[in-house]
Amino acid sequence: MTRYAVGDLQGCFNPLQHLLERVRFDPEHDQLWSVGDIVNRGPQSLECLRFFYELGDSARVVLGNHDLHLLAVANGIRSSKRGDTLQPILDAPDCADLLAWLRHQPLLYRDGDYTMVHAGLAPQWTIGQAQQLAAEIAGVLQSNRFIDFLRGMYGDKPDCWSADLRDIERWRVITNYFTRLRFCTTDGVLDLKSKEAPASAPTGFMPWFDIPGRKSAGHLLIVGHWALLMGKTQRDDVIALDTGCVWGNQLTLMNLETRALVTCDC
């Protein structure tokens, strides 16, 4: 079996198929991992979501912010934004099945040496703590408090992790680290407004993966979300796979057994 991980698709289905053909991906024997943001802004969100749904046990997916946004829109919590490309999913005859499957995907997946999340981890979290917190959110997503979670999911406060947080504030900040993180302070305070490249970090902030003493340092992390990284973190332990396909750049696929990269223009 070969495990492959792909960066943020955001509805870019044809480039994905091109890459899978190049590596001769075989769902009977191989796995395809997604760092999240399967949907939105690109032209074929429905096709991307269906593809991963139909892969069944050959797929490993973590939720991104756009995937959670789809769940919020589908449940009437939020209206579609300008530039969203979610309507074909909402109009599809298999919409209910696709969304039920999406709701059951985690925020963190770990296998062997690799841990995959969409955006990043709070510098205070060990890998074990991150697993526990991701499982907590998965339990909420699959519970009768699912709608409460979606209603309270949006927002930038609280902006720092504390074990004393409870209910929706706790769920919101956990979700923000997993799905929206780029910059934070050495104490883990989030800046969720800035989307610049690392060299343009706001004063007092730095890329989350460069925080001194980060407790997940040394563990192999696979992430997406930050297209302006263009796959470069300057670290051996953080593999960034979002290379801006939906913005006309590239889609990147990694063979996790060899760490070889395959890209195609979008």
Side-chain angles (χ1 to χ4, degrees):
M1 179 186 74
T2 302
R3 298 168 299 172
Y4 297 95
V6 68
D8 300 37
L9 292 173
Q10 295 195 242
C12 297
F13 182 68
N14 290 338
L16 172 64
Q17 295 305 301
H18 177 71
L19 286 180
L20 295 180
E21 288 173 6
R22 283 177 60 185
V23 300
R24 299 183 180 179
F25 175 76
D26 181 356
E28 292 295 319
H29 304 287
D30 302 329
Q31 285 181 355
L32 182 60
W33 296 20
S34 166
V35 297
D37 278 2
I38 293 175
V39 302
N40 210 15
R41 292 186 175 158
Q44 294 175 291
S45 290
L46 174 59
E47 289 82 354
C48 286
L49 190 58
R50 272 186 183 149
F51 179 75
F52 273 92
Y53 172 79
E54 291 171 357
L55 279 179
D57 290 340
S58 296
R60 298 291 185 270
V61 173
V62 294
L63 293 170
N65 51 301
H66 284 281
D67 308 313
L68 289 170
H69 179 61
L70 167 59
L71 291 173
V73 171
N75 284 276
I77 307 302
R78 280 289 173 115
S79 299
S80 289
K81 299 178 182 179
R82 183 177 181 179
D84 282 355
T85 57
L86 302 175
Q87 197 60 46
I89 298 172
L90 303 177
D91 293 339
D94 53 348
C95 176
D97 291 337
L98 295 172
L99 296 182
W101 173 84
L102 193 65
R103 178 178 164 185
H104 283 75
Q105 302 313 303
L107 291 175
L108 178 151
Y109 178 72
R110 188 177 185 188
D111 180 41
D113 293 335
Y114 291 107
T115 299
M116 178 172 66
V117 299
H118 178 61
L121 300 179
Q124 308 98 309
W125 296 348
T126 65
I127 294 294
Q129 287 172 312
Q131 287 181 288
Q132 292 174 355
L133 295 170
E136 180 179 336
I137 301 301
V140 175
L141 283 169
Q142 297 165 32
S143 75
N144 58 9
R145 299 204 65 184
F146 170 58
I147 298 300
D148 292 337
F149 171 84
L150 293 179
R151 287 197 180 108
M153 176 179 68
Y154 292 90
D156 296 347
K157 299 290 184 177
D159 60 4
C160 190
W161 165 248
S162 168
D164 295 331
L165 291 169
R166 294 291 179 266
D167 294 326
I168 190 58
E169 287 194 336
R170 178 182 176 92
W171 303 340
R172 185 188 303 127
V173 76
I174 292 170
T175 304
N176 281 342
Y177 281 113
F178 277 120
T179 66
R180 298 178 62 200
L181 175 61
R182 291 186 181 92
F183 297 107
C184 64
T185 68
T186 55
D187 294 326
V189 177
L190 292 156
D191 179 339
L192 295 171
K193 302 296 185 184
S194 302
K195 300 181 180 181
E196 293 87 354
S200 301
T203 302
F205 292 82
M206 63 179 67
W208 66 270
F209 44 78
D210 285 335
I211 297 293
R214 175 172 57 86
K215 290 187 177 179
S216 59
H219 295 269
L220 282 175
L221 300 177
I222 302 172
V223 300
H225 184 61
W226 199 346
L228 284 179
L229 291 177
M230 285 303 293
K232 295 178 174 61
T233 64
Q234 313 305 324
R235 299 188 61 91
D236 292 333
D237 60 348
V238 180
I239 301 164
L241 293 181
D242 183 5
T243 46
C245 183
V246 77
W247 306 115
N249 294 315
Q250 293 180 322
L251 185 65
T252 296
L253 184 77
M254 173 177 273
N255 181 324
L256 299 185
E257 318 311 327
T258 65
R259 292 187 71 170
L261 295 173
V262 184
T263 63
C264 69
D265 293 332
C266 298

